[in-house]
Amino acid sequence: MAMKNNTAKKQSTLRRLMKYLKPHAPLLVGAFLCAVIAAGAMLFTPVIIGEAVDCIVSKGDVSFGRLGIYLCVLAGLIVAVMLFQWLMNLLASAAAHQAVASARKAGFSAVTDAPLSYVDTKSPGDITSRVSVDADQIADGIVQGATQIFTGVVTIIGTLIFMIRISPWIALAVAALTPLSLLVSYFVARGSHKHFTEQTAVRGELYSRTEETIRNRALITAYGYGQRAEKDFDDTNQDLKRCGFKATFFSSLVNPSTRLINSLVYAVAAVMGTVFAIDGKVTVGGITQLLLYANQFARPLNEITGVITEFQTSLAAAKRILDLTEVAPQNDDGKTLVSGGSIAVKNLDFSYTPDRPLIKDMNIDVPQGTLVAIVGRTGCGKTTLINLLMRFYDPDSGTILFDGEDAHSFSRSSVRKNFGMVLQDSWIFKGTVRDNIAYGKPDATDEQVRAAARAAHIDRFIERMADGYNTVIDDGDGISQGQKQLINIARVMLADPPMLILDEATSNIDTRTEKRVQAAFDKLLRPENGSKKTGFVVAHRLSTIVNADIILVMDNGRIVERGTHQELLKKNGAYASLYQAQFARTEGTVTA
């Protein structure tokens, strides 16, 4: 049963891979024709060599004229073999790399279109490994496999035909022994496939662990985790070495085993050819041709079996990236939302996993222009509510209404365009400062970008940079967390959406920068033209949300309190406890 399942998986992977090879069929056909010509030229070389031998075996009867002609023809055949093998490799390589480029593009596109729930359950390093490392291994395997199989099949068939022409009995003996080589290759390949599959999976894990360690290098150093990180890496590396050794060991059995059988085939052909030559049934040149064909018959089998190692690795790698390309995209059907900023949540239930309910029977009514603050302990569901509003996830039951209409009637992309979002972890991509600010509005003018930067209190910092707004920055260029945050706020200010989400946006920055960020938030939420925006603020620092229109206090996925800052303090409930505890900590710090 296990063998049938593995075979079915291989066939499924090959069928899926053909979808990416099919558009490049002309290149593969060209490679096949070159293989046929190269193999044909190679098949005629033993004939010419045999005829040349017959020109010089008789004592005192050497035909130098014929010998010279045969040598010239032989040189031409060798050049033809070299030329068409080069063309074959070139065409097969072009087809392979173009197909892999398409698969890599499809894989990356699948990641960008995949539901957030899929990406959340995968390691970034593993996904990166699939798109980069595994894709490259497919290209190597296709090139090796296509060229060797094309040439090998034609050579094997042609060799048998030429051997039958010289001696049907010797050809029959060679053909009868050949299946032994194929049987050995089959059984070894079947055993090595599972190890190559495990090897590619562990390689992805190692890539993920390396990426994670480098990305969090400062944290690892701060906590003295270096030795443990090295041990974790070494454990994964040892696993990769173990499965890699097993895969290589099994696959390395193929070549010597087939060579042993091929040597036996060569010996049988030599003995039978000698016996037939003594009986006068075959000339010396004929024996030469038979031995060359026997060796030539074995060589493509050795080459094909040698490709098995590369092919097994490529097949395992192909499955990983093809699985990625076939991740179902998140549905984005629906009409376009042009929101006025009114939001309502009705009887909403949600859980990431069915056995662990998170949000239960939530009801919220947010009129246009309302500033809603969400507070509560870590893990109470604050960020989850934001994910539901943005339609990163859909509720298990209940509805979210935008301007009185169900969110499901609108496309996800149009819902997200109506929100501006500033997260706790600000994101900067490699590009100019201008491009980073204009990320949500690529067609913005330079003056609009500068106005957004001024509103976010980041313009002076930008102007002091080497090339101003044209300075190329990256996430690791030494830009402070506060400066990144201000660039993110400028990005949202430029987009100017009707609704805003500020998720712990000030938790990682200093007090002075926090004041600048707070001033920028005020401009975002309460612009000078008086058109208030609907805003959701998730914050642990309660001092930043005292002016909110509504404060929602969450606990275990439920809203336990709601009201203004003063109303909640008077209730002397959960919010008052949080506020007083925070105030007490501040007082304790001051008196200390």
Side-chain angles (χ1 to χ4, degrees), residues 262-588:
N262 293 337
S263 297
L264 177 63
V265 172
Y266 188 85
V268 169
V271 171
M272 292 182 68
T274 302
V275 172
F276 287 168
I278 293 173
D279 292 341
K281 295 179 181 179
V282 181
T283 65
V284 175
I287 294 176
T288 304
Q289 291 182 49
L290 283 170
L291 293 179
L292 289 172
Y293 280 127
N295 184 57
Q296 192 165 282
F297 186 80
R299 187 172 63 251
L301 289 175
N302 288 334
E303 291 173 347
I304 292 172
T305 53
V307 171
I308 290 177
T309 300
E310 192 72 41
F311 184 72
Q312 294 292 330
T313 305
S314 299
L315 203 60
K319 184 181 184 305
R320 281 168 50 81
I321 190 170
L322 291 174
D323 287 346
L324 185 64
T325 64
E326 294 177 1
V327 174
Q330 197 165 40
N331 177 33
D332 196 31
D333 295 334
K335 58 186 178 180
T336 302
L337 171 64
V338 181
S339 177
S342 172
I343 300 175
V345 177
K346 304 293 185 184
N347 306 317
L348 188 142
D349 293 331
F350 175 77
S351 62
Y352 290 106
T353 55
D355 58 328
R356 296 179 63 186
L358 182 55
I359 293 180
K360 293 162 281 188
D361 194 28
M362 178 176 286
N363 290 274
I364 309 172
D365 189 11
V366 183
Q368 187 273 332
T370 303
L371 175 59
V372 180
I374 308 171
V375 300
R377 295 180 298 177
T378 300
C380 67
K382 302 186 299 294
T383 300
T384 299
L385 175 58
I386 300 303
N387 287 337
L388 292 168
L389 292 175
M390 293 286 291
R391 292 204 67 192
F392 293 147
Y393 292 87
D394 286 326
D396 299 331
S397 63
T399 57
I400 297 175
L401 305 174
F402 294 110
D403 297 335
E405 294 190 61
D406 192 334
H408 284 90
S409 65
F410 302 107
S411 66
R412 297 176 191 274
S413 57
S414 69
V415 168
R416 292 162 190 165
K417 285 181 179 179
N418 282 268
F419 280 97
M421 197 170 188
V422 181
L423 303 176
Q424 177 179 355
D425 297 323
S426 54
W427 178 64
I428 300 295
F429 64 89
K430 187 171 183 179
T432 66
V433 176
R434 185 203 180 283
D435 291 341
N436 268 275
I437 294 175
Y439 187 78
K441 191 177 181 181
D443 58 345
T445 65
D446 289 343
E447 181 52 39
Q448 288 175 324
V449 171
R450 292 175 184 273
R454 285 193 296 270
H457 299 280
I458 194 68
D459 56 320
R460 291 184 180 178
F461 163 71
I462 296 172
E463 288 170 357
R464 288 196 301 268
M465 299 179 79
D467 296 316
Y469 285 84
N470 292 320
T471 303
V472 176
I473 58 175
D474 201 351
D475 201 40
D477 279 350
I479 300 174
S480 72
Q481 186 67 29
Q483 289 160 347
K484 291 179 186 178
Q485 199 71 290
L486 291 171
I487 290 175
N488 276 255
I489 292 170
R491 183 184 296 164
V492 175
M493 283 186 159
L494 180 62
D496 195 28
M499 295 178 286
L500 299 171
I501 293 176
L502 311 173
D503 189 355
E504 299 286 5
T506 62
S507 61
N508 291 329
I509 55 180
D510 60 86
T511 305
R512 176 179 290 183
T513 305
E514 181 185 1
K515 290 182 178 180
R516 290 187 175 183
V517 170
Q518 195 62 48
F521 285 167
D522 292 341
K523 285 191 176 182
L524 271 172
L525 296 164
R526 302 289 185 267
E528 296 176 356
N529 60 15
S531 58
K532 293 183 178 181
K533 295 181 183 294
T534 303
F536 291 83
V537 179
V538 177
H540 281 128
R541 297 182 186 179
L542 303 186
S543 60
T544 63
I545 51 99
V546 294
N547 295 322
D549 299 313
I550 303 174
I551 298 175
L552 304 177
V553 184
M554 294 187 64
D555 188 28
N556 293 324
R558 295 181 181 273
I559 298 175
V560 295
E561 288 183 351
R562 68 181 73 200
T564 65
H565 172 70
Q566 293 299 332
E567 290 171 349
L568 293 176
L569 285 181
K570 289 178 182 179
K571 287 183 180 180
N572 200 27
Y575 178 80
S577 297
L578 287 172
Y579 188 81
Q580 290 166 7
Q582 206 169 98
F583 179 78
R585 280 202 306 271
T586 305
E587 287 296 309

Side-chain angles (χ1 to χ4, degrees), residues 66-79:
R66 289 174 58 202
L67 181 62
I69 294 173
Y70 287 137
L71 291 176
C72 290
V73 173
L74 182 62
L77 290 174
I78 293 172
V79 171

